[in-house]
Amino acid sequence: MGRSRNPRRAAAAVSAVEETVDGGLAQLLPDPDRDRAWTLLIDGAPQSHVDLDDPAYLSFEYQRRLGHVIDLAAPPGKPVHAVHLGGGALTLARYVAATRPRSTQQVVERDASLVQLVRRELPLDPNARIRVRSTDARAGLGKVPDGWADLVIADVFSGARTPAHLTSTEFLDEVRRALKPSGVYAANLADGPPLAHLRGQVATAAARFGELALIADAAVLRGKRFGNAVLVASDLPLPLPELTRRAACDPHPARVEHGRSLTDFTGGALPVTDAAAVDSPAPPPSVFR
């Protein structure tokens, strides 16, 4: 639940911030219900929500699902090495810093002007060990030392679509190289009926990792509407009971598919290679209305 509206903030009429960045028109809109919270939009599409007073607060449902993965990737409070592909307003990096103090993080965000805007308007905790690289996600991942990361989180969208070169087996080979043997990969994916992209991404991850889970709204999994799904992969068993419980108890409940049901979900889809990769499908206009 958000805090009640602050009348002093309403009276002050905190203004939105607008600035053209590499990816389009960036807007930072103040949250009327949380004193120092902002929503980032790019060309009208919501990208991130940040509460500077409470960085452990995750407003977007897909970010809460990624938060569950972060929470369960190591014992509570234990510092981790995390790589974030796609930065936005640095919401998940702030979350890791708040919930796992002394963690060391690398964020790869191609849009350098967006990074500058976020750093200026939504400054990071100076004690947070977060390094931001302004480069392509796959190129930045290539700079991560072998076996360095406990977590690699991919949340990369360009024009509301995931770029093709971040959807292939070759890309996941780079993810595996950067991960520790016990590491976890999580990706925010978006698709709608007939779910060809999502099925292909599950098949691609299955070709590179021994353990998989998919977290999504039941209507998305049934191909009833466009939406987000979080793919989780590792070579070690995933904490499925607790992940399932947390997903089911969320304000927007989700299902966790794994094992045989997840294999059946792919419907025979083949792994995606660089040669055949395409951008994820564009969301219908109604998604952002």
Side-chain angles (χ1 to χ4, degrees), residues 19-26 41-44 47 109-114 157-160:
E19 192 166 306
T20 299
V21 297
D22 296 343
L25 177 64
L41 290 79
I42 304 292
D43 285 341
Q47 300 289 323
E109 170 56 61
R110 183 171 186 169
D111 195 330
S113 53
L114 174 61
F157 288 86
S158 176

Side-chain angles (χ1 to χ4, degrees), residues 65 68-69 72 212-218 221 230-232 238-249 253-259 261-262:
R65 293 166 189 168
H68 300 329
V69 176
L72 298 173
L212 300 180
L214 188 67
I215 313 170
D217 183 277
L221 291 172
V230 170
L231 177 63
V232 189
L238 296 168
L240 294 171
E242 182 62 14
L243 196 60
T244 300
R245 185 191 71 79
R246 292 185 182 217
C249 293
R255 282 168 42 188
V256 177
E257 296 290 349
H258 58 90
S261 65
L262 188 54

Side-chain angles (χ1 to χ4, degrees), residues 3-68:
R3 306 187 194 98
S4 61
R5 184 180 176 92
N6 185 330
R8 288 180 298 174
R9 176 164 189 163
V14 177
S15 299
V17 177
E18 293 190 358
E19 192 166 306
T20 299
V21 297
D22 296 343
L25 177 64
Q27 296 173 291
L28 287 171
L29 306 182
D31 184 333
D33 296 319
R34 302 182 73 88
D35 291 350
R36 297 177 67 228
W38 301 80
T39 299
L40 169 68
L41 290 79
I42 304 292
D43 285 341
Q47 300 289 323
S48 305
H49 180 279
V50 168
D51 187 331
L52 296 176
D53 288 334
D54 183 8
Y57 174 79
L58 299 176
S59 177
F60 291 180
E61 61 189 61
Y62 86 84
Q63 290 183 330
R64 289 197 299 274
R65 293 166 189 168
L66 287 168
H68 300 329

Side-chain angles (χ1 to χ4, degrees), residues 7 10 60 67 84 100 221 236 265 273:
F60 291 180
H84 303 265
R100 297 184 176 279
L221 291 172
L236 295 185
F265 172 80
T273 64

Side-chain angles (χ1 to χ4, degrees), residues 76-81 96-105 127-129:
K78 180 182 178 181
V80 296
H81 288 177
V96 172
T99 60
R100 297 184 176 279
R102 303 181 306 284
S103 291
T104 303
Q105 302 184 74
N127 295 318
R129 300 165 64 177

Side-chain angles (χ1 to χ4, degrees), residues 81-85 105-108 141 144 148-149 151-154 178:
H81 288 177
V83 177
H84 303 265
L85 304 178
Q105 302 184 74
Q106 298 186 37
V107 178
V108 185
L141 179 63
V144 176
W148 182 83
L151 278 166
V152 173
I153 300 172

Side-chain angles (χ1 to χ4, degrees), residues 64-213:
R64 289 197 299 274
R65 293 166 189 168
L66 287 168
H68 300 329
V69 176
I70 293 167
D71 291 345
L72 298 173
K78 180 182 178 181
V80 296
H81 288 177
V83 177
H84 303 265
L85 304 178
L90 309 177
T91 304
L92 290 173
R94 298 172 200 265
Y95 180 84
V96 172
T99 60
R100 297 184 176 279
R102 303 181 306 284
S103 291
T104 303
Q105 302 184 74
Q106 298 186 37
V107 178
V108 185
E109 170 56 61
R110 183 171 186 169
D111 195 330
S113 53
L114 174 61
V115 172
Q116 292 175 355
L117 170 66
V118 169
R119 283 186 176 277
R120 185 183 74 236
E121 300 293 336
L122 308 175
L124 287 167
D125 181 342
N127 295 318
R129 300 165 64 177
I130 300 171
R131 178 182 181 183
V132 183
R133 297 176 184 266
S134 295
T135 188
D136 172 78
R138 189 155 157 182
L141 179 63
K143 301 290 187 182
V144 176
D146 293 0
W148 182 83
D150 297 290
L151 278 166
V152 173
I153 300 172
D155 184 16
V156 184
F157 288 86
S158 176
R161 304 176 73 177
T162 301
H165 69 298
L166 304 180
T167 67
S168 66
T169 51
E170 291 91 340
F171 165 67
L172 290 186
D173 287 338
E174 274 295 293
V175 171
R176 283 182 60 90
R177 180 198 59 75
L179 280 172
K180 296 176 182 178
S182 59
V184 176
Y185 170 65
N188 177 34
L189 308 173
D191 199 9
L195 299 180
H197 173 71
L198 190 55
R199 298 181 203 279
Q201 288 304 285
V202 174
T204 303
R208 292 297 185 267
F209 289 94
E211 301 288 336
L212 300 180

